[in-house]
Amino acid sequence: MLDKYIVPRLKPALTSIARQLRRRGVKADHLTVAGFVAGLACVPLVATGHNGLALLCLLLNRLADGLDGELARLDEPSDAGGYLDITLDFIFYAVFPLGFALADPAAFAVPAAFLIASFVGTGASFLAFATQAQKHSLDSPDFGYKSLYYLNGLAEGTETIICFVLMCLLPAWFAVLAWSFATICLITAVNRVYFGYRTLR
């Protein structure tokens, strides 16, 4: 819901940093993988109670995710790069709650599982529509910088990261945050399925 407002404001700073990285020979795909590794590190860090370090890795992951696209656009964006970026993003989103489930299985396993299941709904509805939209040459005017058609909703990247940041800062509230955000994700998935189906009809 917030991505189309937040991303354009961040774009000038990200582009400037991306230009500096390009001059140093950094490749977009390498940045994508490095960010993914940083994101995966959140799981063992949260599981062992190092939430401050997990928050740092989360922010590094998101910074890399913002920079890799800008870096790619300075040259020639590739389908392979776009594929790698979106795939690793969705894997990161799905595994992040696992750290909390491992930290306190009795209290957090069920809300973590529900949150992960809701991510499957948002991810599937997003990616399935994107493949069909490409067949019909549909464009997303608010998200032209994306490599795939971006079907928006209540739960997008910005909201997800805000939720993850709060989980790192307030780990005792994980269950409440997980149940709440999973509900938002389910509403988003239902909305995407309904309007995606109507659009394609």
Side-chain angles (χ1 to χ4, degrees):
M1 184 170 61
L2 298 176
D3 283 7
K4 65 183 178 181
Y5 304 109
I6 299 297
V7 174
R9 294 179 179 275
L10 298 176
K11 187 176 175 63
L14 292 174
T15 302
S16 176
I17 297 172
R19 288 197 180 103
Q20 296 178 40
L21 292 173
R22 183 173 179 265
R23 286 196 290 268
R24 288 167 171 76
V26 177
K27 301 297 183 183
D29 290 352
H30 297 163
L31 197 57
T32 299
V33 173
F36 178 65
V37 172
L40 288 184
C42 294
V43 176
L45 288 171
V46 168
T48 54
H50 296 90
N51 294 315
L53 288 174
L55 177 58
L56 176 61
C57 286
L58 167 64
L59 296 177
L60 288 173
N61 169 273
R62 292 298 85 200
L63 178 60
D65 184 60
L67 288 172
D68 60 3
E70 294 302 319
L71 193 56
R73 280 184 285 275
L74 291 176
D75 294 311
E76 184 66 31
S78 70
D79 290 341
Y83 166 78
L84 184 67
D85 180 43
I86 195 69
T87 300
L88 296 187
D89 272 354
F90 275 91
I91 294 173
F92 164 67
Y93 290 152
V95 301
F96 182 84
L98 182 60
F100 293 91
L102 294 172
D104 190 346
F108 296 155
V110 173
F114 186 61
L115 181 58
I116 293 169
S118 74
F119 285 160
V120 173
T122 55
S125 58
F126 172 94
L127 295 173
F129 183 82
T131 60
Q132 298 302 316
Q134 189 173 36
K135 288 182 182 180
H136 296 280
S137 300
L138 297 178
D139 293 322
S140 181
D142 290 325
F143 302 98
Y145 54 88
K146 294 289 185 179
S147 57
L148 296 173
Y149 188 104
Y150 198 87
L151 192 62
N152 61 358
L154 292 176
E156 296 172 0
T158 301
E159 291 80 11
T160 304
I161 299 314
I162 290 173
C163 180
F164 285 179
V165 167
L166 289 175
M167 287 173 176
C168 288
L169 294 175
L170 305 168
W173 287 80
F174 171 78
V176 173
L177 292 167
W179 286 114
S180 301
F181 194 65
T183 301
I184 293 173
C185 286
L186 289 177
I187 294 171
T188 298
V190 170
N191 179 71
R192 283 176 174 170
V193 170
Y194 176 73
F195 285 104
Y197 178 80
R198 287 194 59 184
T199 298
L200 293 171
R201 287 279 293 178

